[in-house]
Amino acid sequence: MIKLPPLPYAYEALEPAISAETMRTHHDKHHAKYVEAVNKLAGEAGLDGRDLEAIIAGAEARKATKLLNNAGQAWNHAFFWDCMTPERGAPGGELESAIGETFGTLEGLRDAFVKEGADHFGSGWVWLACDQGRLSVLSTHDGGTLANRPQTPLLVCDLWEHAYYLDYKQDRKTFLERWFDTVANWAFAESQLEAAQGRHEPWHFRMAA
Ligand code: MN3
């Protein structure tokens, strides 16, 4: 069994970028439902008792699409909560240098991230990732995840309408701009960059929530 991880801050902590009402529904209803579906489907696939990364790998190997989608969503949401913080910050150290190398400036990264997310057709996720030492911005569709990909994810933002519709209606671009400017967790991204450099383990879905 996997467990729904608690939010690392209060429901209202990310206001005004994201309302408490959005966070409550998003975490307590949407994320909870994905976790519940994973436990049901992993049992049916003989994958119960594994950690979530192993369930994702097993679902992929078995071409168990419904399990893979739900497991990807369970992983992505847990990662997403840690990609946000009420402590507004800015990239520093090696992350700042890596952003400079690939995007020129933080503004360059912001443009690429917001454009990728705003232009993404339908539901999915927009990521900042490190791929063989170089940063990149990419998006995945639906429950698509970087959990078991060679890239190390540094940040992700949810592009499903449930992530922003209550607060921004259909205006995904403004949501992404405000998300990037005010709640992105740069300390977390720096820690993931260190993991990509082999200095410690990358983020994992915690089994004991
Ligand atoms: Mn979501």
Side-chain angles (χ1 to χ4, degrees), residues 139-151:
S139 53
T140 55
H141 282 280
D142 303 320
T145 183
L146 298 189
N148 56 344
R149 291 284 172 269
Q151 300 101 327

PDB file of all heavy atoms in Angstrom, residues 139-151:
ATOM      1  N   SER A 139       7.447  18.848 -21.440  1.00  0.00           N
ATOM      2  CA  SER A 139       6.149  18.527 -20.848  1.00  0.00           C
ATOM      3  C   SER A 139       5.820  17.070 -21.121  1.00  0.00           C
ATOM      4  O   SER A 139       6.328  16.464 -22.071  1.00  0.00           O
ATOM      5  CB  SER A 139       5.058  19.453 -21.395  1.00  0.00           C
ATOM      6  OG  SER A 139       5.044  19.452 -22.802  1.00  0.00           O
ATOM      7  N   THR A 140       4.983  16.503 -20.235  1.00  0.00           N
ATOM      8  CA  THR A 140       4.490  15.132 -20.423  1.00  0.00           C
ATOM      9  C   THR A 140       2.963  15.196 -20.446  1.00  0.00           C
ATOM     10  O   THR A 140       2.365  16.093 -19.855  1.00  0.00           O
ATOM     11  CB  THR A 140       4.954  14.192 -19.287  1.00  0.00           C
ATOM     12  OG1 THR A 140       4.554  14.739 -18.019  1.00  0.00           O
ATOM     13  CG2 THR A 140       6.455  14.002 -19.300  1.00  0.00           C
ATOM     14  N   HIS A 141       2.363  14.246 -21.141  1.00  0.00           N
ATOM     15  CA  HIS A 141       0.911  14.227 -21.281  1.00  0.00           C
ATOM     16  C   HIS A 141       0.242  13.429 -20.163  1.00  0.00           C
ATOM     17  O   HIS A 141       0.765  12.403 -19.730  1.00  0.00           O
ATOM     18  CB  HIS A 141       0.513  13.628 -22.630  1.00  0.00           C
ATOM     19  CG  HIS A 141       0.694  14.606 -23.758  1.00  0.00           C
ATOM     20  ND1 HIS A 141      -0.220  15.594 -24.033  1.00  0.00           N
ATOM     21  CD2 HIS A 141       1.712  14.779 -24.620  1.00  0.00           C
ATOM     22  CE1 HIS A 141       0.209  16.314 -25.050  1.00  0.00           C
ATOM     23  NE2 HIS A 141       1.392  15.857 -25.425  1.00  0.00           N
ATOM     24  N   ASP A 142      -0.918  13.889 -19.743  1.00  0.00           N
ATOM     25  CA  ASP A 142      -1.779  13.155 -18.806  1.00  0.00           C
ATOM     26  C   ASP A 142      -1.001  12.754 -17.549  1.00  0.00           C
ATOM     27  O   ASP A 142      -0.535  13.608 -16.838  1.00  0.00           O
ATOM     28  CB  ASP A 142      -2.421  11.962 -19.524  1.00  0.00           C
ATOM     29  CG  ASP A 142      -3.214  12.430 -20.750  1.00  0.00           C
ATOM     30  OD1 ASP A 142      -3.878  13.469 -20.652  1.00  0.00           O
ATOM     31  OD2 ASP A 142      -3.133  11.775 -21.805  1.00  0.00           O
ATOM     32  N   GLY A 143      -0.825  11.434 -17.319  1.00  0.00           N
ATOM     33  CA  GLY A 143      -0.093  10.984 -16.133  1.00  0.00           C
ATOM     34  C   GLY A 143       1.371  10.707 -16.409  1.00  0.00           C
ATOM     35  O   GLY A 143       2.048  10.074 -15.599  1.00  0.00           O
ATOM     36  N   GLY A 144       1.861  11.173 -17.533  1.00  0.00           N
ATOM     37  CA  GLY A 144       3.267  10.944 -17.906  1.00  0.00           C
ATOM     38  C   GLY A 144       4.198  11.498 -16.839  1.00  0.00           C
ATOM     39  O   GLY A 144       4.001  12.604 -16.345  1.00  0.00           O
ATOM     40  N   THR A 145       5.220  10.728 -16.483  1.00  0.00           N
ATOM     41  CA  THR A 145       6.077  11.085 -15.352  1.00  0.00           C
ATOM     42  C   THR A 145       7.552  10.948 -15.721  1.00  0.00           C
ATOM     43  O   THR A 145       7.897  10.207 -16.644  1.00  0.00           O
ATOM     44  CB  THR A 145       5.752  10.170 -14.147  1.00  0.00           C
ATOM     45  OG1 THR A 145       6.539  10.568 -13.031  1.00  0.00           O
ATOM     46  CG2 THR A 145       6.005   8.695 -14.454  1.00  0.00           C
ATOM     47  N   LEU A 146       8.401  11.651 -14.989  1.00  0.00           N
ATOM     48  CA  LEU A 146       9.852  11.460 -15.140  1.00  0.00           C
ATOM     49  C   LEU A 146      10.387  10.542 -14.040  1.00  0.00           C
ATOM     50  O   LEU A 146      11.600  10.413 -13.872  1.00  0.00           O
ATOM     51  CB  LEU A 146      10.586  12.801 -15.101  1.00  0.00           C
ATOM     52  CG  LEU A 146      10.271  13.822 -16.198  1.00  0.00           C
ATOM     53  CD1 LEU A 146      11.257  14.996 -16.133  1.00  0.00           C
ATOM     54  CD2 LEU A 146      10.311  13.191 -17.585  1.00  0.00           C
ATOM     55  N   ALA A 147       9.479   9.890 -13.301  1.00  0.00           N
ATOM     56  CA  ALA A 147       9.895   9.055 -12.157  1.00  0.00           C
ATOM     57  C   ALA A 147      10.931   8.011 -12.560  1.00  0.00           C
ATOM     58  O   ALA A 147      11.842   7.721 -11.798  1.00  0.00           O
ATOM     59  CB  ALA A 147       8.682   8.370 -11.542  1.00  0.00           C
ATOM     60  N   ASN A 148      10.774   7.429 -13.731  1.00  0.00           N
ATOM     61  CA  ASN A 148      11.692   6.359 -14.137  1.00  0.00           C
ATOM     62  C   ASN A 148      12.326   6.673 -15.488  1.00  0.00           C
ATOM     63  O   ASN A 148      12.487   5.811 -16.331  1.00  0.00           O
ATOM     64  CB  ASN A 148      10.954   5.019 -14.179  1.00  0.00           C
ATOM     65  CG  ASN A 148       9.743   5.078 -15.095  1.00  0.00           C
ATOM     66  OD1 ASN A 148       9.294   6.172 -15.454  1.00  0.00           O
ATOM     67  ND2 ASN A 148       9.214   3.937 -15.496  1.00  0.00           N
ATOM     68  N   ARG A 149      12.649   7.957 -15.669  1.00  0.00           N
ATOM     69  CA  ARG A 149      13.314   8.398 -16.893  1.00  0.00           C
ATOM     70  C   ARG A 149      14.752   8.774 -16.571  1.00  0.00           C
ATOM     71  O   ARG A 149      15.073   9.050 -15.416  1.00  0.00           O
ATOM     72  CB  ARG A 149      12.571   9.617 -17.470  1.00  0.00           C
ATOM     73  CG  ARG A 149      11.192   9.291 -18.020  1.00  0.00           C
ATOM     74  CD  ARG A 149      11.276   8.587 -19.362  1.00  0.00           C
ATOM     75  NE  ARG A 149       9.980   8.106 -19.819  1.00  0.00           N
ATOM     76  CZ  ARG A 149       9.480   6.899 -19.565  1.00  0.00           C
ATOM     77  NH1 ARG A 149      10.155   6.045 -18.825  1.00  0.00           N
ATOM     78  NH2 ARG A 149       8.294   6.545 -20.016  1.00  0.00           N
ATOM     79  N   PRO A 150      15.615   8.810 -17.586  1.00  0.00           N
ATOM     80  CA  PRO A 150      17.005   9.181 -17.300  1.00  0.00           C
ATOM     81  C   PRO A 150      17.169  10.634 -16.837  1.00  0.00           C
ATOM     82  O   PRO A 150      18.106  10.931 -16.094  1.00  0.00           O
ATOM     83  CB  PRO A 150      17.725   8.958 -18.641  1.00  0.00           C
ATOM     84  CG  PRO A 150      16.701   8.625 -19.656  1.00  0.00           C
ATOM     85  CD  PRO A 150      15.401   8.380 -18.969  1.00  0.00           C
ATOM     86  N   GLN A 151      16.234  11.500 -17.230  1.00  0.00           N
ATOM     87  CA  GLN A 151      16.330  12.881 -16.747  1.00  0.00           C
ATOM     88  C   GLN A 151      16.013  12.930 -15.246  1.00  0.00           C
ATOM     89  O   GLN A 151      15.151  12.202 -14.783  1.00  0.00           O
ATOM     90  CB  GLN A 151      15.310  13.807 -17.429  1.00  0.00           C
ATOM     91  CG  GLN A 151      15.435  13.911 -18.920  1.00  0.00           C
ATOM     92  CD  GLN A 151      14.404  13.060 -19.614  1.00  0.00           C
ATOM     93  OE1 GLN A 151      14.016  11.998 -19.146  1.00  0.00           O
ATOM     94  NE2 GLN A 151      13.949  13.522 -20.767  1.00  0.00           N
TER      95      GLN A 151
END
